[in-house]
Amino acid sequence: MLLPNILLTGTPGVGKTTLGKELASKSGLKYINVGDLAREEQLYDGYDEEYDCPVLDEDRVVDELDNQMREGGVIVDYHGCDFFPERWFHIVFVLRTDTNVLYERLETRGYNEKKLTDNIQCEIFQVLYEEATASYKEEIVHQLPSNKPEELENNVDQILKWIEQWIKDHNS
């Protein structure tokens, strides 16, 4: 049976992981958090002192995921998206969060001031939405609000309906 691949992207702290895990448990699709994968497999290419975090080796990430993506049925969660092959995804969801809500979430994570400011600006200027529309066909890129629990539930329901419809359309 053919299953769709879904990309969840957006600024750190918008709720990609919460949404991805919830979707995976309700849809049976496989959930992959690229940050966790990189940590487990050491898919890094150095360290960024300024942001106090390792630098992702994008080519190795793509190599690592390619077979699973070809098989389908994968939900990928990452804050960047321009290095993934376009053919991988059937739909892309960019999560958006009000900056005051996002600020609190990132502060709770202990982000340093520069990292906090840059991520808030990233959200204000829709950097990841623009990256997504530049990297994928515009009709498959959708923005979802991600501020409160009701929106999470609504997003899960909407995406589950989309998955169900996609499976019907591609397996009949």
Side-chain angles (χ1 to χ4, degrees), residues 47-55 111-116 118:
Y47 196 82
D48 185 328
E49 299 297 337
E50 192 177 19
Y51 288 104
D52 191 27
C53 65
V55 177
Y111 277 29
N112 67 40
E113 199 53 44
K114 172 157 181 56
K115 205 168 172 180
L116 257 173
D118 288 357

Side-chain angles (χ1 to χ4, degrees), residues 38 42-48 53-60:
Q42 287 299 301
L43 306 174
Y44 297 128
D45 190 22
Y47 196 82
D48 185 328
C53 65
V55 177
L56 195 68
D57 186 331
E58 296 174 349
D59 292 340
R60 286 177 60 211

Side-chain angles (χ1 to χ4, degrees), residues 43 57-68 85 88:
L43 306 174
D57 186 331
E58 296 174 349
D59 292 340
R60 286 177 60 211
V61 168
V62 170
D63 291 346
E64 184 74 31
L65 288 175
D66 201 45
N67 286 338
Q68 291 178 79
W88 275 8

